[in-house]
Each structure stands twice: as C-alpha cells, then as structure tokens.
C-alpha cells in the first residue's frame, strides 16, 4: 500500500477535481482513497510513503495509436533513402524495417518503447505491430515484455498483401491466435484487436479472410485515408470511398479504431459517426509525412469518438497534444480554435476508448479507479488549479518532466529511476539488436 503525498492533485473527476495539498492512497491495483495530505497521513500511517516533492499528481497518459516496430529506428539513416511521397516513405523506411525485424528485434523494440512510455508517464498503449521478417509469435513476444514492464497494452498485427499471400495469411493467423489467447487469459492488462494496414494494401479477398478469421471476436485497428493513394485506390479499383469499403466488409463499429482519417469526406464522417467507430489523430506523424491535416474540428463537431495517438513519432503525449493544437489552428487560420477539442481527445476520449476494451476505470483519480498515477515535476509561477490545468500542461510541461509512474498500482519509476527494471542491461540488449538491424538495412 502506497501513499503518494505532497503534491497538487488533478483528478479529472468532476465531483472532486482538485486538491491543493493532496494525497492518493494506492492499494493493490486500484486507488483506495484520495484526499488531503493531512487526513490521509492520519488514516494510513502504515502505508509506504512516496513523496511527490511538490509536483503535480495526476492520471497517467494513454496513447491510442503507436507502433512498437519502429522502436529501433531512432537516428537511423538508410543508404539511398530519399522519399518524395508517402508511398516511398512506407516502402523505403517502415516496410524496409519490418521486413528485417526478427522476433529478437521485435522484443528489443518493445523494451525500447515501454521504457520511453514509462519515462513519459504513459501506462496504456494501443499498438499496431508489423514484423514481416518473423510474424509468428511476434504479438506474444510483445505481450511478454508488456507484462514484465507493467504497461497496459492492446495489441494487433498489421495484415497486408504487400509481401504476398503467404505472409498475409501468417499475419491473419497471428491476429486470430492472439485474440483467442487474450480472451482465454482475461487479463485486464492485455487486450487484442484485429490489425490491418492501409486499404490500398488490402484486397477484397484479404478482407474476406480477415472477417472470417476474426469471427466477431474483436474490433479492428486499421490505417485509413492517411495518404491520398488510399482514397484513389478505393475509388479506382472498388468504385467506392475507403470508409464505404470498410462498411461493406462490416469492419466499422464501436470496437474499431481508424488511424489518421486525414482525407475523409463529410459523408464518410457521417458513416463513422453512425457506426460509433473510433478515430485516432496522430498530428506529428502526419506533418512529418506531409500527408495533410486531419479534419479534427469537423469530426469533433459531428460527435465522433476522437482520440489522440503518436504513430510512434514520440512517446510524449503532451508533445502530441501541443502539435494537435497548433496544426489545427494553422490549418484553419484561426488562433481561437482547437483547445477544447484536443484536450478532450487526450484527457477524456482516450480513456473512453480504453473503456471499450479494458474493464478498469482509466484516466481519472478516484476511489476504485485503476492506480495509473504519475507525478510531474512542475512548480507553477502563475495560478494553478483544475480551472486552467490544461493551459499549464500545453504551455509549461512535457513528458520528460514526469518523475514518478505507477501503473495498476505497480511502482515502475520513482524520482526518475526505474524500479525493479534493469535499465542499463536492457539498453545494452536493445543496442545490440539495433546495430544488427541497421547493418541489415545498409549491408
């Protein structure tokens, strides 16, 4: 039992939003009590005390779309790689990497990702994995690392026709096997979706196979309308829009996540809303790939369940939040839009997305909620409370100011040191795998 004290507590609970000098009692995997430091210290004298050192105590972050397979790419330069469009980015960099990603490298990528998640206060991720070099058991390798590192994870494998029918069938089987495993295991720290890549890499034959293999066991996690090639391919080869194509194959629904949705029309947005399908925006990745700006404000206006991810561009959700705000304002040419929308995406909707897969109550500090709690090293020099906390987080805080991270009651990171995790050993192992991968890419 831990008593986290000496901090300004932001709860995201409307019935008790802010405690100036607060404390949170963590018992097992959930929050047992929350209140003032004075009253909780008096009630729980036998608890293990964890000092927030005057920082901000708040709910941990959720990343609604990322890619573990890119974990070894930081600083990478591939000889001859000079992309001029989105397809060349995919084929020259990301597909090139995943075609050489062994199970060992997948495991190393997972360690690298989870270490950075913990450092940045992210305790729940929705990952979209690809490792076409070795597909079988890749999700199980990631799940093993997730359990070891203590980060709640919803995993899937990226089905695609791009490397032929045999690899495609292996990817379909990996999804189905892992979904069945998660359903049987019934562990609220580990869930599964059925993953698919962009529509221009998926034939109708493959859609039919995916729907049959999934057999309504789970929702889908799929890239859609990220690039214009996705839109052009659907209209040219199938005579319909990408979202209409998903509707045709019964892919949409309350358990399905659509990643990106940059080039969706209003008619497609209406279909997404009517089916209660989730959409996840990834602003930094979209800008870096020069694929456009997602119509977040219009989707928000239509009431679509809209969350925030990173596409693995970063593991810092506050960095993604800042980018989401600025690109929307830049795109609209208006300096007074986007604030409520993007903060709702991160601090409200990501938790609602989680509620469709996980049983635990996430994104809030209150009795009975999951003990996913972080401490941020932030000493405000202007007024601070629940009334203006989002402004402080956008303009004054980044992920690396997280000093302490709890996930499901497990203390993972304290005073910027990992707890029961050998960071140096893992870093050395990750480096070996990264060197091997880079050699293959440039060998």
């Amino acid at each position: 039992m831990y008593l986290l004290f000496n901090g300004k507590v932001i709860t995201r609970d409307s019935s008790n939003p802010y405690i100036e000098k607060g404390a949170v009692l963590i018992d097992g995997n959930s929050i047992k009590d929350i209140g003032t430091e004075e009253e909780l210290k008096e009630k729980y004298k036998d608890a293990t005390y964890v000092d927030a050192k005057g920082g901000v105590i708040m709910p941990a972050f959720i990343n609604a779309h990322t890619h573990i397979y890119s974990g070894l790419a930081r600083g990478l330069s591939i000889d001859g790689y000079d992309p001029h469009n989105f397809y060349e980015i995919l084929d020259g960099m990301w597909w090139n990497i995943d075609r050489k990603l062994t199970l060992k490298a997948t495991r190393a990528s997972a360690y690298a990702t989870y270490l950075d998640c913990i450092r940045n206060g992210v305790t729940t991720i929705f990952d979209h994995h690809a490792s076409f070099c070795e597909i079988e058991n890749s999700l199980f390798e990631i799940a093993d690392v997730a359990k070891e590192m203590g980060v709640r994870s919803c995993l899937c494998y990226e089905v695609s026709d791009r490397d032929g029918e045999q690899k495609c069938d292996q990817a379909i089987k990996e999804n189905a096997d892992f979904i069945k495993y998660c359903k049987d295991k019934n562990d609220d720290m580990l869930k599964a979706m059925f993953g698919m890549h962009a529509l221009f890499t998926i034939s109708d034959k493959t859609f039919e196979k995916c729907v049959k293999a999934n057999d309504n066991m789970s929702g889908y996690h799929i890239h859609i309308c990220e690039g214009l090639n996705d839109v052009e391919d659907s209209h040219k080869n199938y005579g319909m829009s990408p979202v209409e194509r998903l509707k045709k194959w019964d892919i949409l629904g309350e358990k399905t996540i659509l990643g990106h949705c940059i080039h969706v029309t209003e008619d497609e947005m209406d279909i997404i809303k009517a089916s209660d399908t989730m959409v996840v925006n990834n602003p930094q990745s979209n800008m870096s790939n020069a694929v456009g700006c997602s119509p977040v404000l219009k989707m928000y206006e239509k009431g679509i369940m809209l969350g925030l991810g990173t596409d693995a561009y970063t593991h810092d959700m506050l960095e993604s939040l800042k980018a989401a705000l600025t690109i929307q304002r830049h795109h609209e040419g208006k300096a007074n839009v986007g604030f409520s929308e993007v903060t709702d995406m991160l601090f409200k909707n990501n938790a609602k997305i989680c509620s469709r897969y996980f049983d635990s109550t996430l994104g809030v500090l209150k009795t009975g909620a999951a003990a996913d709690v972080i401490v941020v090293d932030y000493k405000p020099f202007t007024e601070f409370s629940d009334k203006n906390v989002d402004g402080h987080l956008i303009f004054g805080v980044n992920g690396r100011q997280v000093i302490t991270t709890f996930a499901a009651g497990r203390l993972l990171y304290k005073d910027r040191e990992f707890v029961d995790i050998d960071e140096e050993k893992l870093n050395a192992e990750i480096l070996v795998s990264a060197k091997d991968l880079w050699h293959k890419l440039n060998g």
Side-chain angles (χ1 to χ4, degrees), residues 68 114 125-129 138-140 142-144 146 153-157 175 178-179 190-195 221:
I68 279 173
Y114 287 126
I125 68 168
F126 285 76
D127 188 72
H128 196 273
H129 180 64
S138 58
L139 295 183
F140 294 87
I142 295 171
D144 189 48
S153 302
C154 185
L155 309 177
C156 70
Y157 193 92
N175 273 314
F178 189 71
I179 292 169
L190 186 67
K191 299 297 179 180
M193 301 180 77
F194 202 105
H221 193 164

Side-chain angles (χ1 to χ4, degrees), residues 156-351:
C156 70
Y157 193 92
E158 180 177 289
V159 172
S160 173
D161 292 325
R162 64 180 181 260
D163 284 350
E165 188 169 8
Q166 182 180 8
K167 292 285 187 180
C168 178
D169 289 345
Q170 289 175 7
I172 292 170
K173 185 177 185 300
E174 183 68 8
N175 273 314
D177 288 349
F178 189 71
I179 292 169
K180 291 172 186 175
Y181 168 81
C182 287
K183 290 180 77 69
D184 290 343
K185 192 172 180 63
N186 195 27
D187 179 354
D188 203 45
M189 294 296 288
L190 186 67
K191 299 297 179 180
M193 301 180 77
F194 202 105
M196 290 186 280
H197 190 47
L199 270 67
F200 73 91
T201 74
I202 303 172
S203 65
D204 276 356
K205 179 181 177 181
T206 295
F207 263 130
E208 186 174 8
K209 287 181 179 180
C210 289
V211 171
K212 182 178 179 180
N214 191 11
D215 194 25
N216 293 313
M217 291 188 295
S218 183
Y220 298 85
H221 193 164
I222 183 167
H223 292 191
I224 183 168
C225 297
E226 184 176 3
L228 281 171
N229 48 344
D230 216 20
V231 179
E232 293 162 357
D233 179 79
S234 284
H235 282 289
K236 179 181 178 181
N237 295 316
Y238 302 97
M240 62 186 76
S241 73
V243 173
E244 287 172 330
R245 196 166 169 228
L246 294 181
K247 182 181 179 181
K248 171 190 171 183
W249 287 105
D250 200 25
I251 301 298
L252 303 174
E254 65 175 9
K255 292 278 195 175
T256 288
I257 289 176
L258 307 182
H260 302 288
C261 285
I262 296 168
H263 302 287
V264 287
T265 65
E266 284 210 41
D267 286 344
E268 288 178 292
M269 293 181 210
D270 290 337
I271 295 171
I272 293 169
K273 171 58 182 173
S275 61
D276 197 18
T277 301
M278 302 172 282
V279 172
V280 178
N281 179 227
N282 305 276
Q284 288 169 297
S285 170
N286 298 160
M287 287 187 282
S288 178
N289 290 332
V291 289
C293 175
S294 178
V296 162
L297 303 183
K298 178 59 69 173
M299 286 192 283
Y300 187 94
E301 179 184 308
K302 287 181 176 290
I304 291 170
M305 177 57 69
L306 187 61
L308 188 66
T310 66
D311 209 35
Y313 189 93
T314 180
H315 301 293
D316 181 344
M317 294 308 300
L318 291 177
E319 189 179 307
S320 189
L321 179 68
K322 299 174 205 293
L325 177 62
T326 52
I327 187 59
Q328 290 301 319
R329 289 182 171 179
H330 176 77
H331 183 70
E332 294 291 322
K334 297 177 182 178
N336 63 342
V337 300
F339 190 93
S340 296
E341 291 86 346
V342 300
T343 52
D344 277 359
M345 285 158 59
L346 178 58
F347 299 120
K348 294 180 181 179
N349 293 355
N350 276 10

